[in-house]
Amino acid sequence: EGLIDDIKVWEKLPNSLAYLSGINWVEPLGIPSSGFRIEWAQTGKRVYTQRQFVNTYVQNGESLGHWVGPDSENLYIELSHKVAKGLSLQLAYELERHGEINILTPFVQETGWSIMKPPSGIVEARNYIRIMPAWQVTDRLELSARYSYWLTSNSGSVSGAGRKDDESQVSMKYHF
């Protein structure tokens, strides 16, 4: 997929472009009840932003476009496997990179034509590892959990600021 938010052909101004690509491979290498998914997203510095803030693609401080927002890159890799009847397991790795521009950064006109550049300035990078088991107990009841661990470098786009975080979630879905 590609997004052209704003493109300049005759002017020497940056374009506002975004890309998304991915592969979903069912039963990779012939392994039954398994899946492999990889996805790459990249958004330019000025994607979803406008000269007049009222025209910015935002609501309640959140981007209406791709969740990663402008000036960012995201790589997501997932392996899934149905271990037994009703029991599945997913393992995932994710790399998220954000430049200094976000959806609320005031628009500044720049010069210099480019197709796509990596995130700008001091780049905040997060490396996630996730494990997600799920159990379909009945046709109506599903229990699932998720554990995530991640390392952040240049937290908040501050050079050298790093942190380690983890998160656990447990959920129950019942279909009425």
Side-chain angles (χ1 to χ4, degrees):
E1 291 181 24
L3 168 74
I4 301 173
D5 183 12
D6 193 9
I7 192 164
K8 287 93 172 164
V9 177
W10 308 113
E11 302 175 43
K12 296 279 185 192
L13 299 172
N15 295 308
S16 296
L17 304 173
Y19 305 100
L20 173 68
S21 60
I23 295 171
N24 187 20
W25 187 6
V26 178
E27 297 190 353
L29 305 173
I31 303 169
S33 302
S34 295
F36 173 77
R37 189 177 91 164
I38 185 168
E39 183 177 292
W40 169 258
Q42 183 177 10
T43 56
K45 286 171 64 171
R46 294 295 165 204
V47 170
Y48 312 128
T49 64
Q50 301 291 320
R51 291 176 203 257
Q52 301 296 323
F53 184 77
V54 71
N55 294 329
T56 299
Y57 301 178
V58 66
Q59 180 165 349
N60 299 325
E62 297 293 326
S63 172
L64 295 176
H66 192 281
W67 65 267
V68 80
D71 198 21
S72 300
E73 299 172 328
N74 181 259
L75 171 68
Y76 182 80
I77 302 170
E78 177 185 281
L79 293 169
S80 60
H81 184 68
K82 290 188 179 177
V83 180
K85 184 177 180 182
L87 183 62
S88 64
L89 180 65
Q90 293 177 320
L91 301 173
Y93 168 77
E94 184 171 12
L95 170 62
E96 202 178 299
R97 292 171 28 96
H98 297 277
E100 293 180 340
I101 304 294
N102 67 48
I103 195 72
L104 301 176
T105 302
F107 186 90
V108 175
Q109 185 64 60
E110 299 174 350
T111 60
W113 194 87
S114 68
I115 296 296
M116 183 64 80
K117 292 182 179 179
S120 65
I122 299 171
V123 176
E124 178 184 271
R126 292 186 193 140
N127 288 277
Y128 295 87
I129 295 174
R130 293 190 181 102
I131 183 167
M132 300 163 280
W135 180 28
Q136 187 74 43
V137 181
T138 69
D139 289 344
R140 294 180 174 223
L141 178 64
E142 179 184 340
L143 303 174
S144 62
R146 180 170 101 171
Y147 175 76
S148 302
Y149 176 81
W150 65 97
L151 301 171
T152 305
S153 60
N154 299 329
S155 184
S157 293
V158 175
S159 183
R163 52 189 268 186
K164 299 176 185 177
D165 293 287
D166 67 339
E167 176 182 79
S168 298
Q169 296 177 344
V170 176
S171 65
M172 179 180 78
K173 293 180 189 175
Y174 185 81
H175 302 278
F176 292 94

